[in-house]
Amino acid sequence: MTNTRPNAALVLFSGGQDSATCVAWALSQYARVETIGFDYGQRHSVELTVRPTVLQQLRAQSADWDRKLGQDHMIDLGLLGKISDTALTQDVAIAMQDNGLPNTFVPGRNLLFMMVAATVAYRRGLDVLVGGMCETDFSGYPDCRDDSMKALQVALNLGMATRLKIDTPLMWLDKRQTWQLAQQLGGPKLVDLIRSETHTCYLGQRGTLHDWGYGCGTCPACELRARGYRQFVQASIA
């Protein structure tokens, strides 16, 4: 792969809180940033509809971010939804499985996302992949672990003869710290953008704007986001 510019990043951007924070983080770190999203038949496909607005408003945060933020790529991975039987791809109740993992876990999802992103990065001359995987505040997904991402980085570079780097800026942050990172990156304006425009709710509900954002308020994703936001606000007041 021939890089057109060093420190050029491709961010996995779903439309949610974590990935939006990752886009902002990448814009503060790299000279050129592109984004990629995946339509895999997710139950909460509303997350895809908010992506253009979030990207537009990220551009409006500063002239520097507007200059750095490049092309957005939307990839159809409907095959993943067809071969998955999970609470994120089927209309079933969220529950724990016998193997100790929640049924919101989509096997192979992040691995496939990274593989496809690496292929796009290869073609676009981008040398860094940025993802919002996290071991601290997560649902027990094995493909969110730091070891998984490190092993995948090795496999991708061996298989493609590249020197891609996988960056996971949220890996060791809880949700309160993720809100704090947004505050550090873009101040109250960015925090309000993430609160009011991104989507995280597993059930795809976007009818009520809570203090922490839109969502059903009861699914695991909403509970994490709400708890983290309220801890962030309390810490800001203290």
Side-chain angles (χ1 to χ4, degrees):
M1 178 176 68
T2 300
N3 288 324
T4 57
R5 175 182 283 182
N7 295 323
L10 180 63
V11 185
L12 277 67
F13 174 54
S14 67
Q17 173 191 355
D18 290 349
S19 63
T21 304
C22 284
V23 177
W25 179 86
L27 288 168
S28 74
Q29 297 291 318
Y30 301 113
R32 172 181 160 213
V33 176
E34 297 188 11
T35 51
I36 187 168
F38 303 98
D39 183 350
Y40 60 98
Q42 57 266 54
R43 184 176 176 181
H44 54 303
S45 59
V46 65
E47 68 178 1
L48 302 181
T49 69
V50 306
R51 294 176 75 258
T53 298
V54 175
L55 290 173
Q56 181 183 31
Q57 293 197 22
L58 282 170
R59 289 184 180 279
Q61 293 280 312
S62 74
D64 185 50
W65 284 12
D66 184 36
R67 177 181 57 81
K68 289 181 177 181
L69 187 55
Q71 187 171 338
D72 179 43
H73 310 269
M74 177 57 66
I75 308 297
D76 183 355
L77 288 181
L79 172 65
L80 182 60
K82 292 177 182 178
I83 63 176
S84 297
D85 183 16
T86 75
L88 289 194
T89 55
Q90 306 288 333
D91 187 10
V92 297
I94 296 174
M96 291 299 296
Q97 304 176 107
D98 292 340
N99 62 2
L101 295 176
N103 65 352
T104 52
F105 172 59
V106 182
R109 181 181 61 168
N110 285 339
L111 305 181
L112 182 59
F113 284 0
M114 279 294 183
M115 184 181 70
V116 174
T119 303
V120 173
Y122 186 102
R123 176 172 58 84
R124 299 287 299 169
L126 307 167
D127 49 13
V128 181
L129 302 179
V130 180
M133 296 78 183
C134 173
E135 267 201 42
T136 304
D137 247 357
F138 75 137
S139 298
Y141 301 163
D143 60 357
C144 285
R145 296 177 301 180
D146 187 52
D147 284 349
S148 297
M149 290 299 106
K150 287 178 177 175
L152 187 58
Q153 177 178 285
V154 172
L156 289 172
N157 285 320
L158 286 173
M160 295 171 47
T162 55
R163 296 187 64 84
L164 281 169
K165 178 185 178 184
I166 294 179
D167 258 339
T168 52
L170 309 184
M171 183 59 72
W172 308 113
L173 304 184
D174 59 25
K175 279 293 183 286
R176 174 183 62 84
Q177 293 169 319
T178 300
W179 285 108
Q180 288 176 333
L181 177 60
Q183 174 81 20
Q184 294 164 10
L185 292 168
K189 186 178 178 181
L190 180 59
V191 170
D192 189 61
L193 163 60
I194 291 173
R195 185 188 71 86
S196 61
E197 299 296 344
T198 66
H199 181 87
T200 304
C201 173
Y202 284 159
L203 301 186
Q205 293 189 14
R206 202 162 175 83
T208 302
L209 179 60
H210 305 277
D211 57 336
W212 45 268
Y214 286 99
C216 68
T218 58
C219 75
C222 284
E223 289 178 347
L224 272 177
R225 178 168 171 154
R227 181 166 63 248
Y229 181 78
R230 287 162 183 164
Q231 291 173 343
F232 160 69
V233 170
Q234 290 172 358
S236 301
I237 297 173

